Amino acid sequence: MRKLSGKIDGQEYAVLIGQNMDSERKHYFEEFSDRILFSSPKLPPAEIQRLKVEFGNKNVVLTDDGESCKSLANYSLLINELLGRGFPRNGMMSYSGGGTLGDLVGFVSSTYKRGTRFSAIPTTLLAQVDSSIGGKNGLNVASFKNSIGTFHLPEAIFCDSAFLSKGVMRDGLSEVIKYGMINDPKILDSLRGHRWDDILDDPDLILSLVERSVRTKMAIVEKDFRDTKGVRAQLNFGHTVGHALESVSGNSLSHGQAVCTGMIIESRMSELEEISERGTASSLVGIFGDLGIDVPDVSAYSLDSMVNFVLNDKKLSAGEIRIPVPVRPGFMASLSLTPERFKKILSKAIGG
Ligand SMILES: NC(=O)c1ccc[n+]([C@@H]2O[C@H](COP(=O)([O-])OP(=O)(O)OC[C@H]3O[C@@H](n4cnc5c(N)ncnc54)[C@H](O)[C@@H]3O)[C@@H](O)[C@H]2O)c1
């Protein structure tokens, strides 16, 4: 097991990365006489059973996850569950599931009785390398994604590869590759020669990918926890165009597919503006191709709808849309374009 320790705003936290960390979790959670675990019912039954042994049967509540769980209705449901149990403020609240359940339970934990202690057992690759790290949470209100949320840091995050299965790998790999592009090119090297669906067969590789990704995210978040200094913005590489693609596709593209395509398109845009080195976008196409991950063809989506989405989604800076882009893997810069120029370059990048 590897332990990464961090400190933000005076609060210490730890990320534990390993395989089969049952005894570590049991030992940690036993300390809290009042504890509750909200778990996804979609985990394999054997995993849910293991968690019930670790937490105590009565402390495990199965609750629906997926994007639709990030709602005010579900928020009320969980708050009522806690009130019904008389759950105290100094109790430990945790979740086992993907990023959607983490966002919901994180928000509940930060607001119930003005904030309880919080910890995480992320069970998708995306949740292990991204959403569980950094203390952001959020709910979708009136169909606006993450329109309300808080910063609430988990004290302990258990990234246990025993929970990962092929079905929860692909979306997370886009984020892993993103970390390789923004900070740690060794991630990209270590993926060479692997297909996405054989990564779990190599326990050392999966642990190293999670650890390197988590280290990058922790380092960035610790410099800019509340996302006010522009440092955390680097993590949005691929996400400006990616979020627009998710939206205009009516969510038929998964987050991972959208981010993978978004990184390629944004790199092409940046090459056209002579910020990214030539070949940056095609090297990304090569990485996804070698992994056996299809890059969706998005040329049929409406350009106007995409640009409108970006304009609604992002604050303009001095009248320009600003997006983080890699000059080369491991070295980031920023691309600033007026909305008109953005549309023109986006059109070329998608066509090319
Ligand atoms: N707070 C943040 O900083 C942050 C960062 C990135 C993404 N997010 C959020 O994360 C969410 C996406 O998270 P996600 O990709 O984990 O999706 P998800 O939570 O919807 O999980 C994907 C699916 O996998 C299932 N699942 C979870 N663990 C499983 C397991 N071990 N075995 C089998 N099935 C399992 C879930 O039930 C769900 O159906 C989005 O809502 C996004 O906004 C938040």
Side-chain angles (χ1 to χ4, degrees), residues 159-220:
C159 297
D160 188 338
S161 64
F163 285 104
L164 300 176
S165 55
K166 285 182 186 168
V168 297
M169 286 294 289
R170 246 183 310 190
D171 273 5
L173 277 171
S174 291
E175 304 294 345
V176 169
I177 290 166
K178 179 190 79 178
Y179 294 125
M181 292 300 287
I182 63 182
N183 178 59
D184 185 356
K186 283 203 174 123
I187 289 180
L188 308 176
D189 296 339
S190 67
L191 285 170
R192 283 212 178 92
H194 290 277
R195 307 277 297 175
W196 74 270
D197 51 359
D198 76 18
I199 288 175
L200 280 178
D201 300 335
D202 185 338
D204 289 339
L205 176 62
I206 184 68
L207 292 186
S208 142
L209 291 173
V210 172
E211 181 180 347
R212 284 184 168 278
S213 301
V214 167
R215 276 189 192 282
T216 291
K217 179 135 188 202
M218 284 173 73
I220 291 174

Side-chain angles (χ1 to χ4, degrees), residues 42 65 67 70 98-100 103 123-124 130-131 136 145 163:
K42 292 192 193 134
D65 56 3
E67 201 58 41
K70 291 171 54 173
T100 54
D103 277 2
T123 62
T124 63
D130 189 359
S131 62
K136 279 189 180 177
K145 197 169 152 78
F163 285 104

Side-chain angles (χ1 to χ4, degrees), residues 79-87:
I79 296 286
N80 282 326
E81 175 73 39
L82 293 163
L83 290 171
R85 289 170 174 251
F87 192 75

Side-chain angles (χ1 to χ4, degrees), residues 19-36:
Q19 189 167 28
N20 293 319
M21 294 190 286
D22 309 38
S23 57
E24 285 83 359
R25 283 193 301 267
K26 192 162 190 302
H27 179 69
Y28 178 79
F29 287 108
E30 262 170 8
E31 300 270 304
F32 303 95
S33 50
D34 292 293
R35 57 185 183 267
I36 189 163

Side-chain angles (χ1 to χ4, degrees), residues 13-85:
Y13 70 104
V15 186
L16 298 108
I17 300 167
Q19 189 167 28
N20 293 319
M21 294 190 286
D22 309 38
S23 57
E24 285 83 359
R25 283 193 301 267
K26 192 162 190 302
H27 179 69
Y28 178 79
F29 287 108
E30 262 170 8
E31 300 270 304
F32 303 95
S33 50
D34 292 293
R35 57 185 183 267
I36 189 163
L37 175 79
F38 290 103
S39 179
S40 162
K42 292 192 193 134
L43 298 187
E47 302 294 352
I48 295 180
Q49 195 47 43
R50 273 158 63 151
L51 291 164
K52 284 184 174 169
V53 171
E54 288 162 34
F55 274 78
N57 213 359
K58 67 177 186 356
N59 299 319
V60 176
V61 179
L62 298 184
T63 185
D64 284 341
D65 56 3
E67 201 58 41
S68 59
C69 87
K70 291 171 54 173
S71 68
L72 287 172
N74 261 306
Y75 173 71
S76 299
L77 205 74
L78 266 54
I79 296 286
N80 282 326
E81 175 73 39
L82 293 163
L83 290 171
R85 289 170 174 251

